[in-house]
Amino acid sequence: MRNLPMFGLTHGNRSAVTCDLKCDNACSRPAPNTSCEPTFQSVASAALSRRALLAGGGALAAAAAMPIVHAQEAEASSRAAGGLKFTPIASVDSTKDAFTVPKGFRWDPIIRWGDPLFKNSPAFDPTKPSAKAQALQFGYNNDYLDIIETNRGGTEALLVCNHEYTNRAIMFPPATTADEEAEVLRTLKAAHGFAVVELERRRRGEKWSYVRGGYHNRRITADTPFAFDGPAAGSDLLKTKADPEGRVALGTFGNCSGGTTPWGTVLSGEENFNGYFVADPAARGSKRYGLTNAASSYGWEKIDPRFDATQADYAHEPNRFGYIVEIDPTDPKSTPVKHTAMGRMKHEGANVRVDDDGTVVAYMGDDEKFDYLYKFVAKNKYRKGDSRAARKHNLKLLSEGDLYVAKFSGVQREDNANLGTGEWIPLTKNGKSAVAGFTLEEVLIFTREAADAVKATPMDRCEDVQPDLKTGRVYVVCTNNDARGTAGKPATDAPNPRTANKNGHIIEITERRGRADATKFEWDLFLVCGDNGQAGTYFGGWEGPVAPISCPDNIAFDSAGNLWISTDGQPSSIKKNDGLFKVPLHGRERGHLVQFLAVPVQAETCGPVIHDQDGSVFVAVQHPGEEGTWAAQNSYFPDYVAAGAKPGKGDWRGPRPAVVQVTRR
Ligand code: FEO
Ligand code: CA
Ligand code: CA
């Protein structure tokens, strides 16, 4: 087991434990994209004040060409002010082990790590790690979340979420024998992946309960078979000793954000897969995907040879991760799919937009400093309806299509109300490689290298990228990038305007002529995050006070035209717990950001789901008390057995990542 780094905060306001386990210390290593070095200005950038823009000239012409029509949206103000009414909370001090909601609201965990999903699931008992038990229980570190109602009365639903990573130091006691150690490692594999869980309640607006033994209940782990589909399925680059056809991969892990499709499946991004492998640094793609030959943080190579890619038999195993996976939660027997047509990167997630004519587009970010923003345009159109034929057709939509990467141009203004245009550069065209020197399979398996070759714009870590299905505008959440503009690194530019960007920003994209498959777009900066009043912050033009926010990560929309933002890291200057924030996108209050809830000490707010018409907000609370140890835990979320109190039978004296529902009292 590799030594964990010293506790404390790293560059990005994240705990050192999170950095080690979640992203294999990406911050402390050189960014794998060296194609954009040395420093150069990839985007036309001019420091212009708003006054200069208003005074006319070229800049005004540029501004006037933007179809970004905030003035026309005043009528939307009342709509935007609608949705869930609440009194915002103040930021919560980062030492506080509490889940904080607005006055008049309550919070309840729906399901927690270790909760039994099946009739035959053993009871949760972290003192005895068991892979068999864990595979029948809710997994660890829930991230992407959706609550999909399945009946008209709103009394039945499916909870779908992924389990991104694990933290054995606080999950289980230290192993004392080689057998115990091997069982811990197998248990960690079983704690990764996905869960599908049936929910029920008596009537709308009430708290959900999960159904133990529900027909749809399912666990997908790091060992569940996935089918490759798309043009690279069967490629030599995907073949291993265990899968000589290159068509079936075992498991998914590092699954971060995701999206639910209009046809009812769930997409999830395989993000920091590199940290699970020992690899040959000289192998194709190793350097660009951050694969090294150091012992992995997880140590799975000790129990499963495929995680040692320095061995010829498994040299291609890392090539089998980094995809968008699609899971059909309505069919517990279905084989989940890895979509090679959507490229391979540190996929944060994918979110689908369907135009009126059925055109299907998925937006995707590659969450690494100086990596890129992508979109996938499906070859075939969406078919409406629930017929068997329509379902079968729609389940193949992401198997064929073309992949594009974004190149931005733009104007940088003094107040960071930046705006500009952009281009989607094809990496594939009509199902063939569009990149000189790359075969189609190489474009899809070494996508980062193909995007380097076409000089895409290096971004400040694109996390969630999600279209607002009401307006079609696409919100690109850039969580942070402390290397931006530093020595030898890409300079600031209009879409990434801050040197050593610690607090992140959100870009708003409008596709040309409103079409999702456009190859050109316009954009502006919606938020440039940070402490209230801090220089360089920008809140959609709103000039009143806002809640301080940093490291925006996952987003969701409500029925009233508001954006909800969950965070992964808060301003180091004030040191607050992560939270969930609401901000109107339209009207007079555009940019007026307020805080709705805060998660406990050392936790990240994930997977927000906003059912405002039902009076509910859901979040996945990830890595609470992450810096603790088995013997000295830092959080008791969500059960809060009082420290020092005599534990009752079955009381767990440590944190359990959990899905929480917030409702009115
Ligand atoms: Fe798992 Fe990109 O955060
Ligand atoms: Ca994320
Ligand atoms: Ca994150």
Side-chain angles (χ1 to χ4, degrees), residues 68-76 587:
I68 294 165
V69 284
H70 307 318
Q72 293 172 18
E73 292 170 342
E75 57 80 27

Side-chain angles (χ1 to χ4, degrees), residues 360-627:
V360 174
V361 167
Y363 295 92
M364 309 180 284
D366 183 348
D367 177 11
E368 182 111 57
K369 294 175 196 178
F370 307 114
D371 260 290
Y372 307 125
L373 171 68
Y374 296 83
K375 86 172 176 185
F376 171 81
V377 181
K379 179 181 168 195
N380 295 314
K381 308 263 189 203
Y382 171 68
R383 264 193 223 162
K384 283 189 182 149
D386 285 335
S387 71
R388 210 176 214 191
R391 242 190 113 54
K392 196 170 164 213
H393 171 86
N394 292 334
L395 284 169
K396 297 299 285 179
L397 284 171
L398 303 178
S399 309
E400 263 186 292
D402 284 326
L403 187 61
Y404 296 81
V405 66
K407 192 178 180 93
F408 288 78
S409 315
V411 181
Q412 186 164 357
R413 314 205 284 203
E414 262 173 13
D415 61 357
N416 276 337
N418 303 351
L419 75 183
T421 58
E423 197 184 334
W424 293 108
I425 307 173
L427 299 177
T428 71
K429 210 165 191 172
N430 301 322
K432 297 199 165 56
S433 169
V435 185
F438 284 74
T439 65
L440 178 61
E441 289 168 11
E442 288 169 337
V443 169
L444 300 179
I445 295 172
F446 304 113
T447 308
R448 283 181 164 183
E449 295 174 8
D452 294 343
V454 301
K455 300 265 174 262
T457 300
M459 305 298 291
D460 285 355
R461 296 187 48 202
C462 298
E463 296 252 19
D464 234 351
V465 182
Q466 206 166 321
D468 177 345
L469 298 181
K470 287 207 170 85
T471 63
R473 286 183 185 162
V474 180
Y475 293 82
V476 182
V477 181
C478 298
T479 194
N480 61 55
N481 180 355
D482 63 354
R484 172 68 64 179
T486 60
K489 295 293 171 198
T492 58
D493 55 26
N496 301 283
R498 279 195 302 201
T499 300
N501 179 11
K502 288 189 82 150
N503 293 316
H505 58 277
I506 298 182
I507 299 168
E508 183 177 55
I509 284 179
T510 305
E511 298 278 22
R512 190 62 63 83
R513 295 184 307 281
R515 286 201 54 89
D517 57 354
T519 54
K520 298 225 161 48
F521 60 86
E522 283 86 32
W523 64 271
D524 67 357
L525 282 189
F526 175 52
L527 296 185
V528 183
C529 300
D531 271 344
N532 203 351
Q534 187 186 346
T537 55
Y538 176 77
F539 289 89
W542 173 260
E543 291 186 350
V546 292
I549 184 172
S550 185
C551 305
D553 192 331
N554 303 145
I555 54 173
F557 302 90
D558 67 18
S559 68
N562 300 301
L563 183 70
W564 293 67
I565 306 165
S566 64
T567 63
D568 176 13
Q570 284 289 286
S572 45
S573 54
I574 58 164
K575 203 63 192 80
K576 300 293 181 186
N577 275 343
D578 271 312
L580 179 65
F581 299 78
K582 184 200 88 167
V583 58
L585 293 170
H586 313 284
R588 281 193 300 274
E589 298 225 22
R590 175 177 158 91
H592 181 189
L593 180 111
V594 296
Q595 187 167 355
F596 179 71
L597 63 76
V599 293
V601 61
Q602 293 155 15
E604 169 181 350
T605 322
C606 291
V609 177
I610 316 298
H611 288 179
D612 52 301
Q613 287 162 320
D614 196 30
S616 282
V617 169
F618 306 85
V619 290
V621 178
Q622 201 192 52
H623 61 77
E626 173 119 275
E627 293 179 33

Side-chain angles (χ1 to χ4, degrees), residues 125-327:
D125 182 1
T127 64
K128 296 189 184 65
S130 157
K132 200 172 160 216
Q134 177 64 82
L136 301 171
Q137 298 164 338
F138 197 64
Y140 203 74
N141 271 347
N142 30 217
D143 194 315
Y144 179 72
L145 170 70
D146 205 356
I147 308 284
I148 306 168
E149 290 186 10
T150 52
N151 71 344
R152 283 226 180 101
T155 58
E156 293 171 11
L158 293 177
L159 178 156
V160 188
C161 86
N162 56 26
H163 300 294
E164 185 180 7
Y165 72 103
T166 52
N167 180 356
R168 63 176 287 173
I170 61 174
M171 292 167 75
F172 306 120
T176 55
T177 66
D179 283 353
E180 274 179 30
E181 173 66 10
E183 189 59 20
V184 167
L185 297 180
R186 285 190 289 266
T187 307
L188 297 177
K189 283 174 87 184
H192 280 70
F194 257 87
V196 180
V197 189
E198 285 186 9
L199 303 181
E200 66 180 8
R201 60 182 175 183
R202 284 170 307 171
R203 62 184 75 85
R204 274 199 181 285
E206 283 191 349
K207 182 179 113 53
W208 291 102
S209 302
Y210 87 89
V211 182
R212 182 173 176 172
Y215 168 77
H216 293 96
N217 289 8
R218 183 174 192 185
R219 272 304 317 283
I220 286 169
T221 72
D223 287 307
T224 303
F226 278 68
F228 282 113
D229 88 342
S235 161
D236 285 347
L237 292 165
L238 298 181
K239 291 176 180 168
T240 65
K241 185 184 177 196
D243 177 28
E245 303 293 319
R247 294 192 179 270
V248 180
L250 291 187
T252 193
F253 41 81
N255 296 74
C256 199
S257 192
T260 303
T261 65
W263 50 95
T265 59
V266 171
L267 307 176
S268 165
E270 295 181 328
E271 191 191 24
N272 293 304
F273 64 88
N274 58 309
Y276 293 79
F277 290 99
V278 182
D280 174 2
R284 172 129 193 217
S286 282
K287 204 156 171 256
R288 193 61 184 82
Y289 286 86
L291 289 147
T292 71
N293 59 5
S296 76
S297 293
Y298 287 88
W300 294 354
E301 66 271 19
K302 291 180 218 153
I303 54 160
D304 188 341
R306 68 192 171 106
F307 291 95
D308 183 357
T310 63
Q311 305 300 311
D313 287 347
Y314 292 100
H316 292 155
E317 190 70 15
N319 293 350
R320 294 147 63 85
F321 295 86
Y323 296 95
I324 292 296
V325 301
E326 184 170 16
I327 287 162

